[in-house]
Amino acid sequence: MRTPFLAGNWKMNLTSREITPLLEELAAAVTGVEGRDILVCPAFPYLAQAVAALGSSQIAVGAQDCHHEESGAFTGEVSPLMLKDIGATHVILGHSERRHIMGESDEVINRKVRAVIKAGLDPILCVGETLEERQAERTWAVIETQLEHGLDGLDGGQCGRLTIAYEPVWAIGTGLTATPEQAQDVHAQIRTWVERRFDATLAAGMRILYGGSVNPKTVDGLMAQTDVDGGLVGGAALKAADFARIVRFESAS
Ligand code: PGA
Protein backbone atom coordinates (compact mmCIF):
# COMPACT_ATOMS: atom_id res chain seq x y z
CA MET A 1 0.00 0.00 0.00
CA ARG A 2 2.90 2.38 0.79
CA THR A 3 5.48 2.40 -1.98
CA PRO A 4 8.96 2.05 -0.42
CA PHE A 5 10.88 5.31 -0.71
CA LEU A 6 14.66 5.33 -0.77
CA ALA A 7 16.28 8.76 -0.65
CA GLY A 8 19.97 9.61 -0.83
CA ASN A 9 21.16 12.67 1.08
CA TRP A 10 24.51 13.56 -0.40
CA LYS A 11 25.10 16.40 2.07
CA MET A 12 28.05 18.70 1.20
CA ASN A 13 29.82 16.06 -0.88
CA LEU A 14 30.81 15.43 -4.51
CA THR A 15 31.57 17.78 -7.39
CA SER A 16 30.29 17.65 -10.95
CA ARG A 17 33.05 15.32 -12.15
CA GLU A 18 32.07 12.75 -9.54
CA ILE A 19 28.36 13.28 -9.89
CA THR A 20 28.16 12.43 -13.59
CA PRO A 21 29.50 8.86 -13.26
CA LEU A 22 27.65 8.27 -9.97
CA LEU A 23 24.31 9.15 -11.56
CA GLU A 24 25.04 7.10 -14.67
CA GLU A 25 25.95 4.05 -12.61
CA LEU A 26 23.00 4.49 -10.31
CA ALA A 27 20.49 4.93 -13.13
CA ALA A 28 21.84 1.78 -14.81
CA ALA A 29 21.85 -0.18 -11.55
CA VAL A 30 18.21 0.53 -10.77
CA THR A 31 16.86 0.10 -14.28
CA GLY A 32 13.92 -2.25 -14.20
CA VAL A 33 13.42 -1.93 -10.44
CA GLU A 34 9.70 -1.58 -9.89
CA GLY A 35 7.61 -0.51 -6.95
CA ARG A 36 10.23 1.77 -5.39
CA ASP A 37 10.40 5.56 -5.31
CA ILE A 38 13.99 6.71 -5.58
CA LEU A 39 15.38 10.17 -4.81
CA VAL A 40 18.83 11.75 -4.78
CA CYS A 41 19.54 15.05 -3.01
CA PRO A 42 22.73 16.73 -4.25
CA ALA A 43 24.02 20.09 -3.02
CA PHE A 44 22.35 23.17 -4.55
CA PRO A 45 24.88 23.85 -7.36
CA TYR A 46 24.36 20.38 -8.81
CA LEU A 47 20.60 20.03 -8.67
CA ALA A 48 20.02 21.16 -12.25
CA GLN A 49 22.86 18.92 -13.45
CA ALA A 50 21.25 15.97 -11.70
CA VAL A 51 17.80 16.76 -13.12
CA ALA A 52 19.28 16.93 -16.64
CA ALA A 53 21.39 13.79 -16.21
CA LEU A 54 18.53 11.72 -14.84
CA GLY A 55 16.15 12.83 -17.56
CA SER A 56 13.47 10.24 -17.93
CA SER A 57 14.97 7.77 -15.43
CA GLN A 58 12.87 6.77 -12.45
CA ILE A 59 15.13 8.70 -10.05
CA ALA A 60 13.81 12.04 -8.77
CA VAL A 61 15.91 14.93 -7.52
CA GLY A 62 15.45 16.81 -4.25
CA ALA A 63 17.16 19.55 -2.28
CA GLN A 64 18.62 19.32 1.22
CA ASP A 65 17.08 22.56 2.50
CA CYS A 66 15.54 25.83 1.34
CA HIS A 67 14.42 29.23 2.59
CA HIS A 68 10.78 29.88 3.44
CA GLU A 69 10.30 32.99 1.27
CA GLU A 70 9.62 32.91 -2.46
CA SER A 71 12.10 35.65 -3.32
CA GLY A 72 13.66 38.78 -1.88
CA ALA A 73 16.63 40.16 0.00
CA PHE A 74 17.88 36.95 1.58
CA THR A 75 21.51 36.78 0.51
CA GLY A 76 22.77 33.25 0.08
CA GLU A 77 19.38 31.58 0.29
CA VAL A 78 17.45 29.44 -2.20
CA SER A 79 13.66 29.50 -2.43
CA PRO A 80 11.18 26.65 -2.97
CA LEU A 81 10.07 28.42 -6.14
CA MET A 82 13.60 28.21 -7.54
CA LEU A 83 13.84 24.53 -6.67
CA LYS A 84 10.57 23.82 -8.41
CA ASP A 85 11.71 25.88 -11.39
CA ILE A 86 14.79 23.70 -11.98
CA GLY A 87 12.85 20.45 -11.67
CA ALA A 88 13.45 19.35 -8.08
CA THR A 89 10.49 17.56 -6.54
CA HIS A 90 11.37 17.13 -2.85
CA VAL A 91 13.07 19.07 -0.07
CA ILE A 92 14.63 17.60 3.08
CA LEU A 93 13.78 19.84 6.03
CA GLY A 94 14.83 19.88 9.67
CA HIS A 95 17.77 17.54 9.19
CA SER A 96 19.61 17.19 12.50
CA GLU A 97 22.74 18.77 11.01
CA ARG A 98 20.68 21.88 10.27
CA ARG A 99 19.06 21.77 13.71
CA HIS A 100 22.30 21.23 15.61
CA ILE A 101 25.02 22.84 13.47
CA MET A 102 23.04 25.71 11.90
CA GLY A 103 20.79 26.17 14.93
CA GLU A 104 17.48 25.84 13.08
CA SER A 105 14.52 25.96 15.42
CA ASP A 106 11.24 24.09 15.08
CA GLU A 107 9.60 27.42 14.20
CA VAL A 108 11.98 28.04 11.30
CA ILE A 109 11.50 24.47 10.11
CA ASN A 110 7.72 24.91 10.28
CA ARG A 111 7.90 27.98 8.05
CA LYS A 112 9.95 25.99 5.55
CA VAL A 113 7.55 23.04 5.58
CA ARG A 114 4.64 25.35 4.84
CA ALA A 115 6.54 27.16 2.09
CA VAL A 116 7.56 23.91 0.42
CA ILE A 117 3.98 22.61 0.44
CA LYS A 118 2.73 25.94 -0.89
CA ALA A 119 5.24 25.74 -3.75
CA GLY A 120 3.95 22.30 -4.72
CA LEU A 121 7.07 20.44 -3.60
CA ASP A 122 7.13 17.42 -1.30
CA PRO A 123 8.73 17.94 2.12
CA ILE A 124 10.67 15.27 3.98
CA LEU A 125 10.54 16.37 7.62
CA CYS A 126 13.34 14.92 9.76
CA VAL A 127 12.92 14.28 13.47
CA GLY A 128 15.11 12.47 15.95
CA GLU A 129 16.65 12.43 19.40
CA THR A 130 20.26 12.80 20.57
CA LEU A 131 22.01 10.07 22.54
CA GLU A 132 21.59 12.04 25.78
CA GLU A 133 17.87 12.41 25.12
CA ARG A 134 17.53 8.67 24.44
CA GLN A 135 19.48 7.80 27.58
CA ALA A 136 17.25 10.13 29.58
CA GLU A 137 14.23 8.28 28.12
CA ARG A 138 13.06 11.45 26.41
CA THR A 139 13.04 10.03 22.87
CA TRP A 140 9.31 10.27 22.29
CA ALA A 141 8.92 13.60 24.09
CA VAL A 142 11.55 15.12 21.80
CA ILE A 143 10.08 13.69 18.62
CA GLU A 144 6.53 14.63 19.55
CA THR A 145 7.61 18.24 20.10
CA GLN A 146 9.43 18.29 16.76
CA LEU A 147 6.33 16.93 15.01
CA GLU A 148 3.90 19.25 16.77
CA HIS A 149 5.93 22.37 16.02
CA GLY A 150 7.15 21.25 12.61
CA LEU A 151 3.61 20.66 11.36
CA ASP A 152 1.94 23.46 13.28
CA GLY A 153 -0.90 25.13 11.39
CA LEU A 154 -1.14 22.48 8.69
CA ASP A 155 -4.20 20.37 7.98
CA GLY A 156 -4.44 16.83 6.66
CA GLY A 157 -5.07 17.96 3.11
CA GLN A 158 -1.80 19.89 3.09
CA CYS A 159 0.14 16.94 4.51
CA GLY A 160 -0.91 14.45 1.84
CA ARG A 161 2.52 14.50 0.21
CA LEU A 162 4.54 14.83 3.38
CA THR A 163 7.16 12.23 4.28
CA ILE A 164 8.55 11.96 7.81
CA ALA A 165 12.10 10.71 8.39
CA TYR A 166 13.05 9.35 11.79
CA GLU A 167 16.76 9.98 12.16
CA PRO A 168 18.21 9.31 15.60
CA VAL A 169 21.09 11.78 15.86
CA TRP A 170 23.34 9.18 17.50
CA ALA A 171 23.02 6.94 14.43
CA ILE A 172 23.85 9.56 11.77
CA GLY A 173 27.26 9.12 10.22
CA THR A 174 28.38 6.99 13.16
CA GLY A 175 28.02 3.53 11.66
CA LEU A 176 25.66 2.83 14.57
CA THR A 177 22.36 1.89 12.92
CA ALA A 178 19.32 1.74 15.18
CA THR A 179 18.11 -1.84 15.56
CA PRO A 180 15.05 -2.71 13.49
CA GLU A 181 13.12 -2.92 16.77
CA GLN A 182 14.23 0.54 17.91
CA ALA A 183 13.24 1.98 14.53
CA GLN A 184 9.89 0.18 14.47
CA ASP A 185 9.08 1.33 17.98
CA VAL A 186 9.49 5.03 17.09
CA HIS A 187 7.92 4.70 13.63
CA ALA A 188 4.79 3.14 15.13
CA GLN A 189 4.53 6.00 17.61
CA ILE A 190 4.93 8.53 14.80
CA ARG A 191 2.15 6.84 12.81
CA THR A 192 -0.14 6.84 15.83
CA TRP A 193 0.63 10.53 16.35
CA VAL A 194 -0.25 11.30 12.70
CA GLU A 195 -3.53 9.45 13.14
CA ARG A 196 -4.42 11.41 16.27
CA ARG A 197 -3.30 14.76 14.84
CA PHE A 198 -4.84 14.27 11.38
CA ASP A 199 -6.74 11.10 10.51
CA ALA A 200 -6.42 7.34 10.03
CA THR A 201 -6.32 7.48 6.23
CA LEU A 202 -3.46 9.95 6.19
CA ALA A 203 -1.58 7.94 8.83
CA ALA A 204 -2.02 4.69 6.91
CA GLY A 205 -0.67 6.23 3.72
CA MET A 206 2.14 8.32 5.17
CA ARG A 207 5.66 7.13 4.48
CA ILE A 208 7.98 7.15 7.45
CA LEU A 209 11.64 6.72 6.52
CA TYR A 210 14.45 5.61 8.79
CA GLY A 211 17.80 7.40 8.54
CA GLY A 212 21.08 6.86 10.35
CA SER A 213 23.86 4.65 8.96
CA VAL A 214 21.53 2.68 6.66
CA ASN A 215 23.77 0.43 4.57
CA PRO A 216 23.45 -2.66 2.36
CA LYS A 217 23.80 -4.90 5.42
CA THR A 218 21.21 -3.24 7.64
CA VAL A 219 18.58 -2.26 5.08
CA ASP A 220 16.77 -5.61 4.81
CA GLY A 221 16.17 -5.89 8.55
CA LEU A 222 14.93 -2.32 8.77
CA MET A 223 12.65 -2.64 5.76
CA ALA A 224 11.12 -5.80 7.22
CA GLN A 225 9.49 -3.67 9.93
CA THR A 226 5.82 -2.88 9.46
CA ASP A 227 6.17 0.87 9.87
CA VAL A 228 9.53 1.41 8.14
CA ASP A 229 8.64 2.59 4.63
CA GLY A 230 12.06 3.50 3.35
CA GLY A 231 15.37 5.08 4.15
CA LEU A 232 17.09 8.45 4.13
CA VAL A 233 20.63 7.42 3.35
CA GLY A 234 23.77 9.53 3.78
CA GLY A 235 27.20 7.93 3.41
CA ALA A 236 26.04 4.82 1.57
CA ALA A 237 24.23 6.94 -1.03
CA LEU A 238 27.58 8.24 -2.30
CA LYS A 239 28.41 4.84 -3.79
CA ALA A 240 26.23 3.71 -6.68
CA ALA A 241 26.54 -0.01 -5.87
CA ASP A 242 25.65 0.47 -2.20
CA PHE A 243 22.71 2.76 -2.86
CA ALA A 244 21.42 0.48 -5.63
CA ARG A 245 21.57 -2.47 -3.20
CA ILE A 246 19.65 -0.41 -0.66
CA VAL A 247 17.03 0.45 -3.30
CA ARG A 248 16.84 -3.24 -4.17
CA PHE A 249 16.42 -4.28 -0.51
CA GLU A 250 15.07 -7.76 -0.05
CA SER A 251 11.63 -7.73 1.44
CA ALA A 252 10.69 -10.39 3.92
CA SER A 253 7.31 -11.04 2.32
P1 PGA B 1 24.16 8.46 7.27
O1 PGA B 1 23.33 9.83 7.14
O2 PGA B 1 23.44 7.43 6.44
O3 PGA B 1 25.53 8.79 6.73
O4 PGA B 1 24.17 8.11 8.71
C1 PGA B 1 21.93 9.83 7.12
C2 PGA B 1 21.40 11.23 7.12
O5 PGA B 1 22.00 12.10 7.77
O6 PGA B 1 20.37 11.52 6.47
Side-chain angles (χ1 to χ4, degrees), residues 89-110:
T89 52
H90 294 70
V91 188
I92 299 170
L93 295 170
H95 189 280
S96 72
E97 285 148 19
R98 298 216 56 87
R99 291 178 189 267
H100 297 288
I101 304 173
M102 317 299 167
E104 275 188 22
S105 65
D106 283 319
E107 287 65 33
V108 165
I109 295 162
N110 176 249

Side-chain angles (χ1 to χ4, degrees), residues 9 11 95 167 171-173 212-214 232-235:
N9 173 11
K11 308 191 180 184
H95 189 280
E167 298 211 309
I172 295 177
S213 300
V214 175
L232 182 54
V233 185

Side-chain angles (χ1 to χ4, degrees), residues 187-199:
H187 282 224
Q189 291 186 78
I190 293 174
R191 201 175 303 287
T192 304
W193 182 88
V194 173
E195 180 170 347
R196 272 204 322 268
R197 168 71 169 76
F198 299 105
D199 61 72

